[in-house]
Amino acid sequence: MNSQDLTPTLPAHSDGVNLCLAELLQYKNQSVRWLPPAQSVWSQLNGKHQSRHKGRGMNFAEVRPYQAGDDIRAIDWRVTARTGKTHTKLFTEEREQPVMLLIDVSPSMKFGTQLLLKSVQAAHFSSLLSWLAVSEQDRIGAIVFNGNRLYECKPTARQQGPLTVINAIIAAHQESGSEEGGNDGFNDKRLNFSDALKHLHHLCPKGSEIIVLSDFYQLQDKDKRRLSQLRQHNRLQFVQLFDPLELGQTTFNGIEFVTDDQQSTWLDFSAKSTRESLSTQYQQHQEFIQEMCKSLAIPLHHLSAAQTLMEQLGHSGFKAYKGGENG
């Protein structure tokens, strides 16, 4: 095997840094891999099968006269009082479930050292989840956060849902860091990750499947209350994007000028102390996220920006930290 065989290959239509419609549309065809009766994306991550219908609740259908064996808790007392005869409510299982994505493409996500920016990988996975949702007759919606604004996509069915989400991701990604505002979002420089969670709480229909894609560097202790509120009536999962350099893993041995948009410095990547410092900082960050997920029973998954999405899903490279069972 020559050295070229070990070189990571970019996904089709992607340069790893920018986003275009073609590279996100390709996941429409990939979504069929996880449609029933095949394993779902989440069963691939967690090593178990999850039912397509996840206890989504019951919809009222009609009222009819009480029959022996009916659940007395379903008696419609108003109709019973009006007619003088006992009536009971009938329900049908609610099959459609909104899927809501919170997609972080803020400055810390615009980072990648090997294959893709973390924000680009988040966009790829968001596209796959969007197409998969509508393929299962669910509505898909999203809030895209780029550090300047929130782009809102209300839950929509059929092909229009994923297209709306994809266009919002591309727009937010292109506008990230720009000084200009627009009509598609909320132009407010003071917006942060906590604001995105707050807006998600207002937009999200009860009973939704909520998936948050981020590196979670803006996650704070104060966000725990909002997450707890979201989790009371919804299913909530975290997908953490990371780059190997954040773990202190790199083959680069030079000195480089680096910045996080707040601080700038020269780093010597040939020094063991530099790599160990990066690894320690990431571990501390990881412990904070894991503890919050554990306390709120939120499953936490990890997705690398150094491999293509399909490689990680196909070879179980997508690791899961299970904070607890969904409610």
Side-chain angles (χ1 to χ4, degrees), residues 246 248 272-283:
E246 295 171 305
K272 183 179 179 181
S273 58
T274 298
R275 297 192 296 271
E276 289 180 344
S277 177
L278 290 170
S279 178
T280 299
Q281 291 179 32
Y282 184 81
Q283 185 58 39

Side-chain angles (χ1 to χ4, degrees), residues 1-266:
M1 180 181 293
N2 59 45
S3 59
Q4 290 182 345
D5 295 327
L6 300 176
T7 303
T9 303
L10 285 165
H13 310 291
S14 177
D15 64 7
V17 176
N18 303 291
L19 285 174
C20 68
L21 186 60
E23 72 181 281
L24 299 183
L25 284 178
Q26 66 179 315
Y27 291 102
K28 179 180 182 180
N29 296 327
Q30 297 289 352
S31 65
V32 71
R33 294 190 185 191
W34 291 280
L35 291 175
Q39 282 191 327
S40 72
V41 167
W42 303 116
S43 67
Q44 177 79 4
L45 308 187
N46 298 331
K48 69 176 184 178
H49 175 71
Q50 285 187 325
S51 170
R52 175 180 168 187
H53 305 302
K54 310 181 185 77
R56 300 178 180 183
M58 305 295 286
N59 281 332
F60 172 73
E62 61 178 322
V63 174
R64 64 156 170 76
Y66 179 85
Q67 297 178 3
D70 285 348
D71 189 341
I72 61 173
R73 292 174 297 181
I75 291 176
D76 189 324
W77 294 108
R78 288 187 176 182
V79 176
T80 297
R82 187 171 68 249
T83 63
K85 296 182 179 180
T86 305
H87 283 70
T88 187
K89 298 177 183 178
L90 297 183
F91 298 87
T92 57
E93 184 179 359
E94 181 185 356
R95 296 292 183 179
E96 181 268 355
Q97 178 187 42
V99 177
M100 288 296 301
L101 307 178
L102 176 54
I103 307 159
D104 181 0
V105 295
S106 62
S108 68
M109 289 284 287
K110 305 290 278 293
F111 178 78
T113 61
Q114 294 191 22
L115 186 68
L116 307 169
L117 298 183
K118 292 184 289 184
S119 57
V120 171
Q121 187 72 288
H124 286 203
F125 193 40
S126 297
S127 178
L128 176 62
L129 292 174
S130 297
W131 291 114
L132 185 58
V134 297
S135 296
E136 294 189 331
Q137 287 78 54
D138 290 330
R139 289 181 292 151
I140 182 69
I143 290 177
V144 189
F145 167 65
N146 69 1
N148 291 339
R149 301 192 296 168
L150 303 178
Y151 288 73
E152 174 189 301
C153 307
K154 295 181 179 179
T156 307
R158 299 188 177 90
Q159 184 167 291
Q160 185 60 39
L163 290 175
T164 300
V165 172
I166 286 172
N167 285 323
I169 296 172
I170 294 174
H173 200 265
Q174 292 175 341
E175 190 263 350
S176 180
S178 170
E179 295 297 323
E180 296 181 1
N183 296 324
D184 296 328
F186 300 89
N187 188 15
D188 189 337
K189 296 295 180 182
R190 295 168 297 178
L191 288 174
N192 54 38
F193 191 72
S194 297
D195 295 315
L197 287 175
K198 180 179 179 181
H199 195 70
L200 176 67
H201 189 205
H202 292 311
L203 179 67
C204 185
K206 288 185 178 180
S208 294
E209 179 87 14
I210 300 175
I211 303 164
V212 184
L213 300 97
S214 176
D215 55 17
F216 298 104
Y217 283 122
Q218 292 192 47
L219 186 66
Q220 303 177 62
D221 279 316
K222 69 177 183 178
D223 296 322
K224 189 172 184 178
R225 180 179 179 184
R226 181 74 63 186
L227 290 168
S228 180
Q229 293 172 339
L230 281 167
R231 199 189 173 285
Q232 286 180 2
H233 303 290
N234 308 284
R235 297 168 60 88
L236 186 59
Q237 302 196 64
F238 278 5
V239 178
Q240 182 184 6
L241 285 298
F242 71 93
D243 183 87
L245 182 58
E246 295 171 305
L247 285 70
Q249 300 172 2
T250 179
T251 58
F252 178 67
N253 291 317
I255 300 175
E256 191 67 39
F257 187 73
V258 298
T259 180
D260 61 1
D261 287 339
Q262 295 181 348
Q263 301 180 46
S264 300
T265 188
W266 288 94

